[in-house]
Amino acid sequence: MKLSVMKWFVAIAAMLLVSNNASAALINMLVSNVDVQYDNQESGGMLFDRADPNGGNLVPAESRKVTSTEFELDNVTQALLMDPPDTIYFDLGITNLGSSLTPGMVINNAGGTGSQVWGLDWFTADGYFLRLGVDEISYIVVETGVPGLNLFNFFATAKVLSQNLPTGLQYADDVILSYTSTDVMLMKNANGTVNSILASGQLTVTGENIIPEPASAFLLLGLLGTSAVAMRYRLG
């Protein structure tokens, strides 16, 4: 009888843990002052951090510094890194976007090499990092006609290659990244297409947190422990 009771508690624990994971909290990583560049002369038309088109090595010399990064869990701030005192780097590389970008419309599934080997690295001098495999992106370039008020947005799905984030946060395998900038300099061809972009904006990486929240885990263990003791007492 006692063995059956223990099996029952194990089954209940498993169901509760599955339920907990099914309603996993969302992580938002908000990276500010992200400077990017599109150059039609690089790698079949490349979008990269405004420092060096080379990358994917967590090397500061190949990366661009950013001013801050905020980590949220279900819209509640968990960590805020700022430079100074933190030293934060961003490294981007999306290739094969073509010899020009078409303004005024959303362009889907642009660029890439057919694999998600590398595309975006975020890292700090203290050892935090997030490495994402990014292939294709969707983007829009809008020229408003107002000096200094052009728009450049891009979106992509990505695979988490490796990570070490503050406060023990951990992304699930698949995330969504988005970039938004209203501080955009465009250089155009005679036919009106864009052959170069310099932009500064915010990057957001959104995905599920695969580690149960500590409060939920402790509550689950406490309830199961109390119930098990009570049941054992009743059964003698």
Side-chain angles (χ1 to χ4, degrees), residues 11-98:
I12 292 294
M15 286 188 291
L16 289 174
L17 287 173
V18 168
S19 174
N20 188 62
N21 287 337
S23 58
L26 284 181
I27 304 172
N28 279 322
M29 183 175 84
L30 312 171
V31 188
S32 299
N33 286 55
V34 177
D35 297 332
V36 302
Q37 177 175 352
Y38 162 75
D39 189 337
N40 67 347
Q41 300 298 312
E42 289 285 348
S43 302
M46 186 174 183
L47 181 66
F48 56 96
D49 55 281
R50 205 189 306 170
D52 191 327
N54 297 308
N57 305 300
L58 300 183
V59 174
E62 297 176 344
S63 308
R64 183 86 172 178
K65 284 187 177 182
V66 297
T67 57
S68 68
T69 303
E70 181 179 5
F71 290 88
E72 297 179 341
L73 190 64
D74 280 348
N75 299 315
V76 177
T77 299
Q78 305 296 306
L80 177 61
L81 307 181
M82 299 189 71
D83 183 5
D86 306 295
T87 306
I88 315 166
Y89 298 97
F90 165 79
D91 193 6
L92 175 71
I94 309 295
T95 60
N96 297 317
L97 291 172

Side-chain angles (χ1 to χ4, degrees), residues 38 61 66 104 146 210 229:
Y38 162 75
V66 297
V146 178
I210 64 174
V229 169

